[in-house]
Amino acid sequence: MSLNPRLVKESFAVVEPVADKAAAYFYGRLFAQSPHLRGLFPPAMDVQRDRLFTALTRIVWSLDSPDSLSSFLGQLGRDHRKYGVIAEHYTAVGNALLATVRRFAAELWTAEIEAAWVAAYTVAAKLMIEAAESDSGVSPAWWPAEVIDHELRTPDIAVITLRPGQRLPYLPGQYVNVQTPRWPRVWRTFSIANAPREDSTIRLHVRAVPGGWVSSALVEHTRIGDTLTLGPAVGTMTPTGSGRDILCVAGGTGLAPLKAIVEHVIASGRRPNIHLLCGARHSRELYDLPDLVRMASAFPWLRVVPVVSDQPGYDGLRGRVPEVMERFHSWADHDVYACGPVAMVDEVVRRLQRRGVPLADIHRDLIHGES
């Protein structure tokens, strides 16, 4: 059974504009055929539906990039262990997915397109199952982690330090899924804000989002001594080790993974020039600035640049981070890392590309968010 990425992409392009309806249909079909699977999912499915199509879109458009596809699916398969997903579940998911695409791409559906989807899903499921089975022998599906410090930096931003029950392996720039006892089966992603430490502790920067179940619980209701549950570390925005100078562009708590990358560079002994631009609407939202200033004073090759957009009386650099970024010299010979609100990161990438920075040198979170 050979892959035909062209047919899968052409049919999926018809489904993409109605992603919300298709995702709702998919889960309705899945739970009608396999009611026992409903217990694996959170009570509210809105975020889950978004995640489904984010992941599916990436898989479809990576079908003709085997290395990228294999890496992403392996990571996805390992991460799904925390939900209690087992090999037998993939058949039900595949049947619901095929029924969904067939329904929403009905005007161009053929036996050849169906065969292409069956082949693609068979390959994807095999990669995910194999990764999960391989990981099960060496790593837990999730990590209980004790809250050992909880510091409210602003009314809606907390810096939380956790001690996992056993070492959680990760790379600087990666993120973890977090579950609180307050909301079982509801997982949200948060970037790890430090490079790996000898004591295995990790730090999260969490902003309470209006209506955000997990983020609000972490900021407002979590206390020292509580236990959270963490999934395995995921994400591809990790240090390249190229030795080149570095630009980091952060918006809000998007600072977290960039700080971890800076810590990693410090620990490595390398001394590239690093510019770290930290954007916020008001100076009071520069919640980690004192620590960043201490780091910069200890390492002269690290320049921390706070940027404030909505505070007319602010003494420092004012404006939107993507605009302020362009006031400096060319970034063409830099490795760039960007994290924060999606619109901000998209604009950073566009502006850098216009200035001649190759897309391959710009690293960003592909799945980053708080809720």
Side-chain angles (χ1 to χ4, degrees):
M1 190 179 292
S2 59
L3 284 177
N4 191 327
R6 179 183 62 82
L7 289 179
V8 174
K9 291 178 181 181
E10 287 177 357
S11 50
F12 186 68
V14 178
V15 180
E16 275 191 291
V18 290
D20 288 346
K21 290 181 180 178
Y25 181 87
F26 166 79
Y27 282 112
R29 182 91 178 207
L30 178 65
F31 298 150
Q33 293 178 337
S34 306
H36 61 286
L37 294 183
R38 182 63 180 92
L40 300 180
F41 293 87
M45 292 291 292
D46 50 343
V47 173
Q48 187 65 34
R49 286 193 288 266
D50 290 342
R51 285 184 173 182
L52 167 72
F53 256 83
T54 298
L56 186 57
T57 300
R58 181 169 178 184
I59 292 167
V60 167
W61 297 109
S62 299
L63 283 174
D64 44 14
S65 302
D67 290 344
S68 174
L69 179 67
S70 179
S71 175
F72 178 67
L73 288 171
Q75 184 172 265
L76 206 59
R78 290 187 291 272
D79 184 57
H80 275 45
R81 292 178 59 216
K82 72 179 186 293
Y83 299 117
V85 174
I86 57 176
E88 288 76 9
H89 295 155
Y90 284 88
T91 299
V93 170
N95 290 338
L97 177 62
L98 189 62
T100 301
V101 182
R102 185 190 299 119
R103 177 184 174 92
F104 287 90
E107 66 269 27
L108 50 78
W109 198 256
T110 64
E112 191 180 11
I113 291 175
E114 179 154 336
W117 272 94
V118 170
Y121 183 77
T122 300
V123 169
K126 183 173 184 289
L127 287 169
M128 292 177 68
I129 291 168
E130 288 177 348
E133 289 177 345
S134 175
D135 195 55
S136 66
V138 296
S139 178
W142 62 81
W143 285 255
E146 180 187 2
V147 177
I148 61 173
D149 192 38
H150 187 285
E151 185 180 352
L152 203 59
R153 296 279 179 88
T154 76
D156 62 349
I157 297 177
V159 173
I160 304 170
T161 306
L162 305 171
R163 181 187 291 119
Q166 66 183 90
R167 180 175 289 274
L168 189 160
Y170 67 94
L171 298 173
Q174 290 191 306
Y175 54 89
V176 289
N177 281 276
V178 179
Q179 177 184 250
T180 77
R182 196 177 185 90
W183 297 111
R185 304 196 313 280
V186 180
W187 297 83
R188 295 295 182 266
T189 59
F190 298 94
S191 292
I192 300 173
N194 57 278
R197 297 171 171 173
E198 286 295 321
D199 65 2
S200 299
T201 59
I202 67 172
R203 183 165 285 177
L204 307 178
H205 295 177
V206 182
R207 181 192 296 273
V209 177
W213 294 13
V214 176
S215 63
S216 295
L218 291 174
V219 172
E220 299 168 11
H221 304 291
T222 299
R223 302 290 181 265
I224 292 174
D226 289 352
T227 297
L228 306 179
T229 306
L230 310 179
V234 291
T236 58
M237 192 183 67
T238 55
T240 65
S242 69
R244 302 198 306 170
D245 290 343
I246 295 171
L247 168 65
C248 293
V249 186
T253 53
L255 168 66
L258 307 186
K259 187 177 182 184
I261 289 170
V262 172
E263 283 190 7
H264 167 78
V265 174
I266 290 172
S268 73
R270 292 186 291 110
R271 296 294 179 263
N273 292 311
I274 300 179
H275 282 76
L276 173 57
L277 276 61
C278 303
R281 291 183 297 273
H282 300 89
S283 57
R284 62 178 177 273
E285 296 175 342
L286 295 168
Y287 65 91
D288 207 38
L289 191 57
D291 197 35
L292 296 175
V293 169
R294 282 193 294 272
M295 290 171 66
S297 65
F299 301 97
W301 42 267
L302 169 62
R303 183 178 180 188
V304 174
V305 183
V307 180
V308 169
S309 61
D310 297 349
Q311 185 177 334
Y314 180 65
D315 288 339
L317 279 175
R318 288 170 50 199
R320 294 166 57 249
V321 173
E323 297 167 351
V324 171
M325 174 187 71
E326 293 189 321
R327 299 178 195 171
F328 292 81
H329 58 75
S330 169
W331 304 111
D333 296 321
H334 288 62
D335 286 328
V336 181
Y337 300 88
C339 190
V342 173
M344 183 214 82
V345 174
D346 286 345
E347 186 175 352
V348 166
V349 173
R350 283 195 300 270
R351 287 174 179 261
L352 289 170
Q353 285 190 277
R354 282 206 303 264
R355 295 298 184 95
V357 179
L359 191 58
D361 294 340
I362 305 172
H363 311 279
R364 58 178 293 177
D365 260 338
L366 292 174
I367 304 176
H368 181 81
E370 302 163 328
S371 56

